[in-house]
């Protein structure tokens, strides 16, 4: 289905969705205890709702974005309320969300300042992008599905992969495979994720990035569709266009990840393996 749509045509809809997920992020900032890595503001993909949902707030409340129809959702244990976002000013959206939160005994979100700046979306209008919201949702659904598969694949590595998270700052969806215990800013790890596009690539793309940055000399070629990125960040990438040009995009993506993961391990040093455990 993704082959029917040009990946480079998603810039405007991506910016609108990126701004929309800041509402669940604000609700989390206002109501959850801060985590050192800001993971309390991250979102999870719910395949049944086809939505990005916040981490649970008190009482099981979750705030999210149903991407295909561009609507904010507010879920409790007994109901799901939705607000279509097209044409709604921020003040109206904030008032709606605050009313829902306060009714559940939670703190309002609209007055919460984000600790990062958001790019402008003035060139994008939701009414013009209605046909592209479902496409963006497909990219996130596919990314979440593949990342769950990779999370299971690398479970034998200890401490191993964390949950699949969408990070509202950069709007990527990713896992982090920890190679050792330690402080998050110093411990060796490999991040694997999918960005819907940014200033580096104006289309969805896969990335795999080792940390800390290893020596980048004499890089071996990657399987078809993959390339090494060395400007500002180091890692393997595969753009949406290159992946969709492969006979089997999913299989091709997994080959790129396998090769890049093995090379990253070689450069970072061996990870500790352990017996696989299932939850």
């Amino acid at each position: 289905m993704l082959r029917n749509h040009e990946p480079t045509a998603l810039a405007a809809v991506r910016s609108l969705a990126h701004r929309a997920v800041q509402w669940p992020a604000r609700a989390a900032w206002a109501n959850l205890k801060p985590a050192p890595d800001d993971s309390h503001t991250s979102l999870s993909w719910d395949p049944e709702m086809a939505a990005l949902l916040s981490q649970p707030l008190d009482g099981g409340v979750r705030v999210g974005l149903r991407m295909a129809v561009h609507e904010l959702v507010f879920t409790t244990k007994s109901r799901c309320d939705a607000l279509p976002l097209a044409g709604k000013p921020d003040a109206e959206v904030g008032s709606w969300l605050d009313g829902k939160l306060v009714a559940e005994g939670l703190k309002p979100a609209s007055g919460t300042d984000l600790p990062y700046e958001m790019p402008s979306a003035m060139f994008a209008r939701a009414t013009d992008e209605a046909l592209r919201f479902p496409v963006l949702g497909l990219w996130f659904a596919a990314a979440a599905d593949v990342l769950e598969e990779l999370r299971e694949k690398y479970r034998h590595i200890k401490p191993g992969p964390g949950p699949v998270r969408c990070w509202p700052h950069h709007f990527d969806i990713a896992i982090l495979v920890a190679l050792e215990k330690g402080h998050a800013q110093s411990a060796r790890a490999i991040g694997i994720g999918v960005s819907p596009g940014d200033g580096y690539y104006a289309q969805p793309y896969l990335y795999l990035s080792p940390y800390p940055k290893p020596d980048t000399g004499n890089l071996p070629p990657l399987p078809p569709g993959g390339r090494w990125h060395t400007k500002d960040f180091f890692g393997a990438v595969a753009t949406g266009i290159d992946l969709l040009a492969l006979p089997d995009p999913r299989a091709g993506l997994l080959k790129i990840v396998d090769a890049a993961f093995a090379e990253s391990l070689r450069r970072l040093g061996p990870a500790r393996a352990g017996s696989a455990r299932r939850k």
Side-chain angles (χ1 to χ4, degrees):
M1 294 176 65
L2 290 174
R3 280 197 174 108
N4 297 329
H5 305 276
E6 179 60 52
T8 56
L10 299 177
V13 70
R14 177 187 80 225
S15 69
L16 290 166
H18 190 182
R19 296 183 73 84
V21 297
Q22 303 314 310
W23 290 110
R26 286 188 180 94
W29 281 110
N31 289 283
L32 292 179
K33 181 180 179 180
D37 61 353
D38 291 338
S39 57
H40 64 296
T41 68
S42 67
L43 300 98
S44 303
W45 180 259
D46 186 304
E48 293 186 2
M49 290 187 65
L52 288 167
L53 297 179
S54 71
Q55 303 306 306
L57 310 181
D58 286 350
V61 169
R62 302 183 80 176
V63 182
L65 175 69
R66 189 175 286 146
M67 200 169 300
V69 290
H70 196 51
E71 64 181 17
L72 197 64
V73 293
F74 186 94
T75 70
T76 69
K77 294 179 180 179
S78 60
R79 73 181 196 279
C80 177
D81 299 329
L83 176 71
L85 295 175
K88 297 287 194 307
D90 284 351
E92 183 176 345
V93 177
S95 177
W96 180 88
L97 178 57
D98 287 350
K100 298 291 182 183
L101 290 168
V102 171
E104 297 294 328
L106 297 165
K107 296 178 181 178
S110 62
T112 302
D113 292 328
L114 298 172
Y116 45 81
E117 293 185 2
M118 288 293 299
S120 173
M122 293 182 65
F123 69 95
R125 295 195 309 171
T127 52
D128 297 333
E129 303 298 328
L131 297 179
R132 294 189 176 94
F133 281 112
V135 182
L136 187 64
L138 284 175
W139 276 103
F140 272 88
D145 186 59
V146 170
L147 289 169
E148 288 290 358
E149 179 179 339
L150 291 170
R151 184 169 179 257
E152 184 65 27
K153 180 174 185 176
Y154 295 125
R155 191 179 291 276
H156 67 284
I157 294 174
K158 303 303 175 186
V164 177
R165 300 182 185 275
C166 175
W167 299 90
H169 183 188
H170 296 294
F171 200 31
D172 58 331
I173 186 168
I175 59 172
L176 184 70
V177 184
L179 305 180
E180 62 185 358
K181 293 182 178 180
H183 195 278
Q185 294 183 344
S186 60
R188 294 175 304 141
I190 297 175
I192 310 171
V194 174
S195 167
D198 53 25
Y200 297 103
Y201 300 95
Q203 59 179 297
Y205 67 94
L206 163 79
Y207 67 84
L208 183 148
S209 184
Y211 181 85
K213 181 181 177 180
D215 172 68
T216 60
N218 300 315
L219 292 168
L222 291 169
R227 68 184 79 169
W228 293 105
H229 179 102
T230 57
K231 181 182 179 182
D232 297 333
F233 74 90
F234 170 71
V237 301
T239 66
I241 285 178
D242 288 340
L243 287 172
L244 295 178
L246 299 174
D248 186 336
R250 188 187 184 100
L253 180 152
L254 294 175
K255 288 180 180 178
I256 295 167
V257 170
D258 284 346
F261 196 93
E263 184 62 22
S264 295
L265 278 182
R266 188 182 75 81
R267 291 175 183 249
L268 290 175
R272 182 168 62 87
S275 57
R277 295 183 295 174
R278 294 179 181 270
K279 292 184 178 180

